[in-house]
Amino acid sequence: MATDPETGIERLRAGEPVAAGWITMMHPAVAEITADTGYRLAFVDTEHTTASLSDVETMVRALETGGDTDAVVRVPSDDPTYLKRVLDVGVDGVMVPMIETAAEAEGVVDATRYPPAGSRGTGAARAQSYGADMAEYVDTADERLLRIVQIETPRAVENAADIAAVDGIDALFVGPVDLSTGLGDLGNTESEAFVDAVETVLDAAEAAGKPVGTLATSEADIEYYEELGFDWQIVGVDVLLLRERTSEVRSTYADLVSE
């Protein structure tokens, strides 16, 4: 776990701006490059990828080579068993999609806290140095672990204030694609309905003292979401950046030789 006083997690909890990386390609080189480029926070996606727990462990190890990059895993759901297994890998945090109620958010906290505060099972894995640091890890894991829940449905927006108020939830994340789809306008993040929903979430989170982030896939998105008032952003998706940049340089050459 990261100990730098200026880690991405500490900056996020303090309400300071954080630019995070997003990893979908499960190759350690991608994680190493993400860490080397200066991201203090990186998300490993297991919801919309084919990633295994073994892949997650490999990516977390690779991110640690950068020294200053906290590793957060976006899990597929709020399943307590999967959450337990991901935490045992030694991640710095988890982000849970499709949370719609305070009760569901409370379930995430419960599943990620050891007894008596929660129900997380205790075992000797990588996070606990394979048993060598068991007592210390169990004693400090709760305060070190970052918990983010995603607000990405109209129902979640309605319950945003209650969700944000849940003890143990550190931050909210607005999923722009899912939310816009749920509002009946796929991808339209400039619609009145989408902007109103974002404002509702931002107001609810501010009242609870929790930062709100989102995902930007272009420079225009970054500027737009900053103007809307998001506290932190995931800026860029590895596979999209690869596709876009590859397309750009190929087109540059194609245009040159066609002249």
Side-chain angles (χ1 to χ4, degrees), residues 250-259:
R250 185 204 59 78
S251 295
T252 296
Y253 181 75
D255 291 344
L256 180 65
V257 298
S258 66
E259 294 179 352

Side-chain angles (χ1 to χ4, degrees), residues 88 114 120-125 128 131 134 137-138:
D88 281 346
Y114 285 114
R120 177 182 173 183
T122 308
Q128 303 85 13
M134 177 69 77
Y137 179 83
V138 170

